[in-house]
Amino acid sequence: MTNPPFLPRYMGIATFMRMPVWQPGEAADIAMVGVPFDGGVTNRPGARHGPREVRNHSSLIRRFSQATGHNPFEAARIVDAGDVHIERPYNLTDAHGDIEAAFHAWRGAGLKTLAVGGDHSVSLPILRAVAKDRAPLGLVHIDAHCDTGEDYAGSRFHHGAPFRRAAEEGLIDPKRTVQIGIRSTLSELDQWKFSRTSGMRVMMIEEVYKRGIAGAIAEARRVVGDKPCYITFDIDSVDPAFAPGTGTPEIGGLTSLEALLLVRGLSGLNVVSADLVEVAPAYDPTNNTAFLAANILFELLCVMTGQRPPG
Ligand SMILES: [Mn+2]
């Protein structure tokens, strides 16, 4: 077996962060997993191709955070546990069932998961598994959209409503949910009414701009507190100048640096698992979106492996 850190980064099979492929029964702490499903999109498809492209670009990630000195690969046993095998991709709720079952199995094996989507609808079946027996979880949700919408085209389940469903099912605590980076035009002025009426803390991009990243971090930490929480990062929170490879881009978003700093600032929270979603590589011939996603995943790994909050 080659030693990935010393193998040239363009060589070898492109697992997430060049970590070993996990086999059931092996001891590990954090499984990076792919969720190649985009049957829940309301507009442009393509996020099913996210995991493979992010795996490719994650080979560029090195071991240490230069900012904090943290090495997540030393702090925890991190593996690539492969993709959810979605046996029934043509039916949305069946596919969600396949996703949920896979995350139950990973959790049953004692693994925290860092999942790569897939459209944002996949966060709901993930939360069903991750929150089981310890619900409700707090939620840090970084996104251009609140994703707490009404039914769409006759479906309760789509990528614009997972956190409404998650709150209704008692998986997340709306009072310990913060949504950061929200912007864009709307179909209806009160499209995210559920966020407001359920008590979620919605931080629009204008507020992030006014507070600055440090202020946004402080507010997110206040809302979520010390109890167990989940982090979900939608790549469309970042401006399409940096991350055009996504199904529902919105201008006026975070810079790539702001996104890295924001995630890094969550260090010390009690994070049980996390995901990054909505990378649709076909819309970005530069592949910078997947490369950014890989770097955000590195920051999430640092947060999940006991990185001390930067001072
Ligand atoms: Mn989203």
Side-chain angles (χ1 to χ4, degrees):
M1 180 71 185
T2 51
N3 188 350
F6 300 103
L7 182 72
R9 288 183 288 132
Y10 49 85
M11 280 185 197
I13 296 170
T15 59
F16 283 121
M17 312 281 177
R18 301 186 297 152
M19 289 294 103
V21 174
W22 179 77
Q23 304 294 343
E26 290 177 357
D29 301 308
I30 298 177
M32 302 192 69
V33 300
V35 190
F37 176 75
D38 60 16
V41 299
T42 54
N43 188 14
R44 307 190 299 177
R48 70 180 67 178
H49 300 293
R52 184 164 292 184
E53 202 58 37
V54 173
R55 275 193 178 91
N56 183 19
H57 285 80
S58 74
S59 66
L60 292 165
I61 299 298
R62 303 181 186 87
R63 305 296 98 184
F64 285 90
S65 165
Q66 189 164 182
T68 65
H70 187 72
N71 178 345
F73 308 101
E74 205 171 69
R77 294 167 297 186
I78 299 171
V79 293
D80 185 330
D83 288 340
V84 176
H85 180 58
I86 299 164
E87 293 188 46
R88 302 170 291 174
Y90 296 108
N91 180 292
L92 179 62
T93 52
D94 286 347
H96 281 181
D98 293 339
I99 295 166
E100 182 181 342
F103 281 82
H104 278 301
W106 285 319
R107 190 170 165 207
L111 299 165
K112 287 188 179 186
T113 45
L114 177 54
V116 180
D119 73 53
H120 222 156
S121 76
V122 307
S123 294
L124 178 63
I126 294 172
L127 280 166
R128 285 174 179 151
V130 166
K132 188 172 186 280
D133 303 327
R134 55 185 173 189
L137 297 172
L139 181 71
V140 180
H141 172 203
I142 302 168
D143 202 321
H145 318 92
C146 285
D147 295 354
T148 50
E150 304 277 358
D151 297 2
Y152 185 78
S155 180
R156 303 185 71 233
F157 305 100
H158 55 85
H159 75 158
F163 304 110
R164 181 188 187 128
R165 299 283 95 86
E168 289 169 350
E169 293 180 22
L171 306 173
I172 59 169
D173 179 354
K175 304 276 193 300
R176 289 206 303 125
T177 293
V178 60
Q179 305 188 293
I180 307 170
I182 308 305
R183 61 188 188 276
S184 87
T185 53
L186 293 168
S187 302
E188 293 171 78
L189 185 54
D190 216 4
Q191 190 169 336
W192 308 130
K193 172 174 58 187
F194 184 86
S195 289
R196 185 171 49 76
T197 57
S198 66
M200 294 178 181
R201 175 70 170 87
V202 178
M203 207 182 302
M204 291 184 37
I205 196 71
E206 288 81 359
E207 184 181 350
V208 175
Y209 184 77
K210 269 190 207 155
R211 284 180 177 268
I213 293 300
I217 291 166
E219 179 64 356
R221 299 179 73 94
R222 182 192 69 75
V223 171
V224 173
D226 296 331
K227 286 191 282 188
C229 69
Y230 187 84
I231 302 175
T232 184
F233 189 101
D234 189 324
I235 202 75
D236 72 25
S237 60
V238 180
D239 194 276
F242 303 91
T246 194
T248 320
E250 309 289 356
I251 60 115
L254 299 168
T255 67
S256 51
L257 174 60
E258 287 168 342
L260 295 176
L261 293 173
L262 185 56
V263 172
R264 195 176 298 156
L266 303 175
S267 299
L269 292 184
N270 185 354
V271 180
V272 298
S273 278
D275 66 44
L276 181 149
V277 296
E278 297 282 359
V279 174
Y283 304 111
D284 181 4
T286 72
N287 287 320
N288 280 336
T289 308
F291 184 41
L292 171 61
N295 280 273
I296 298 287
L297 289 165
F298 176 80
E299 298 292 342
L300 286 167
L301 281 177
C302 289
V303 170
M304 292 172 73
T305 55
Q307 175 176 260
R308 297 175 60 154

